[in-house]
Amino acid sequence: MCRNTLFAVAEVYHHLANRHASALRVGIDKTIEVVLAKSINDKRFIATAGIAAAEEIASSVASFKTLFSFLSHSNSKSAKMLTQTAKCSVICLKHMDPNAEIKESRLDDVIKAAANLESGRSVDARKPAQEILRIIFKSTDEDSFRIAMNKVLAPAECAHVNKLVKQGNSKTKTSSISRKASIRELMMQKRQEALKNSSKQNNMNSFIVS
């Protein structure tokens, strides 16, 4: 999948999610697998497009199904993959209503995955993983969170997570996020910057020649 294809994927989700969200979630596990793999590509221009596509998917069709698709990569051996998984999962959670969508039967899965990210090999994944845990904690009652946590984590891990989620303010509603610029808008900005730089360089060359 080339850079332009990845940007096209991001554009599709950005513009069609409101009307066709359910259709766009079909096969989303594979889509997320592909864009996450591209987001850690060694070629920077591919990675940038992959990140843009992954983040657009996370925000445009945010749901627990989308969240679980991202968190399924929380055991990756790649530190870069863990970082992108954690960041996209936070974006997903912030664009949905966990209070309305959360299902206690899978609450333990989210806690386990987030705890894996928080204690994993990626330093950059730790803060977003902690944010995942805090959002989930704020979105459910404390007893349900504790029961789910005790089911999947060791006592020492439970104590650590319990300390993390209770740091800061008491339970508050997750703040909303302002609309991001579309991929097309970002690409136009980059083109304009490139044109300005090219113009400056041409002026400099003309001055040197004269």
Side-chain angles (χ1 to χ4, degrees), residues 31-44:
T31 304
I32 287 175
E33 180 183 344
V34 172
V35 297
L36 279 179
K38 295 299 181 182
S39 74
I40 61 172
N41 193 282
D42 291 335
K43 295 179 180 178
R44 187 174 179 181

Side-chain angles (χ1 to χ4, degrees), residues 13 16-29 31 60-63 65-66:
Y13 277 88
L16 299 182
N18 289 337
R19 289 172 292 172
H20 306 287
S22 58
L24 290 174
R25 291 192 184 104
V26 175
I28 199 169
D29 291 344
T31 304
S60 297
V61 288
S63 67
K65 177 176 176 56
T66 304

Side-chain angles (χ1 to χ4, degrees), residues 11-201:
E11 283 288 290
V12 167
Y13 277 88
H14 182 80
H15 291 291
L16 299 182
N18 289 337
R19 289 172 292 172
H20 306 287
S22 58
L24 290 174
R25 291 192 184 104
V26 175
I28 199 169
D29 291 344
K30 187 61 179 179
T31 304
I32 287 175
E33 180 183 344
V34 172
V35 297
L36 279 179
K38 295 299 181 182
S39 74
I40 61 172
N41 193 282
D42 291 335
K43 295 179 180 178
R44 187 174 179 181
F45 66 94
I46 295 292
T48 299
I51 291 171
E55 292 183 349
E56 190 62 56
I57 291 171
S59 61
S60 297
V61 288
S63 67
F64 267 92
K65 177 176 176 56
T66 304
L67 177 64
F68 288 126
S69 294
F70 279 111
L71 289 178
S72 66
H73 301 275
S74 61
N75 289 318
S76 173
K77 295 181 180 179
S78 166
K80 289 182 179 180
M81 178 67 79
L82 296 177
T83 298
Q84 292 306 321
T85 295
K87 289 181 177 180
C88 288
S89 296
V90 170
I91 291 172
C92 185
L93 273 171
K94 286 186 173 181
H95 281 83
M96 58 190 277
D97 183 2
N99 295 283
E101 295 189 43
I102 200 163
K103 296 179 180 178
E104 293 181 17
S105 61
R106 300 197 66 182
L107 180 60
D108 54 339
D109 293 337
V110 180
I111 293 173
K112 177 63 176 176
N116 286 342
L117 290 168
E118 202 278 330
S119 61
R121 64 178 65 195
S122 172
V123 174
D124 293 330
R126 289 176 188 169
K127 284 188 177 180
Q130 291 169 9
E131 192 167 2
I132 294 169
L133 290 166
R134 292 189 183 108
I135 291 172
I136 294 299
F137 177 72
K138 292 174 183 177
S139 302
T140 187
D141 64 274
E142 189 170 345
D143 286 340
S144 296
F145 185 90
R146 178 177 51 78
I147 292 170
M149 178 176 64
N150 289 336
K151 189 187 301 183
V152 293
L153 301 181
E157 293 176 310
C158 288
H160 177 64
V161 169
N162 194 51
K163 181 179 179 180
L164 286 175
V165 298
K166 291 186 177 180
Q167 287 176 346
N169 296 326
S170 58
K171 292 190 176 186
T172 55
K173 292 184 178 180
T174 304
S175 59
S176 60
I177 295 181
S178 58
R179 174 189 172 275
K180 299 183 299 179
S182 70
I183 303 303
R184 188 182 302 280
E185 291 167 344
L186 292 174
M187 291 179 71
M188 286 298 294
Q189 291 174 8
K190 290 182 179 180
R191 289 194 188 103
Q192 290 172 358
E193 291 174 2
L195 287 172
K196 287 181 181 179
N197 292 334
S198 177
S199 177
K200 288 180 180 179
Q201 185 62 45

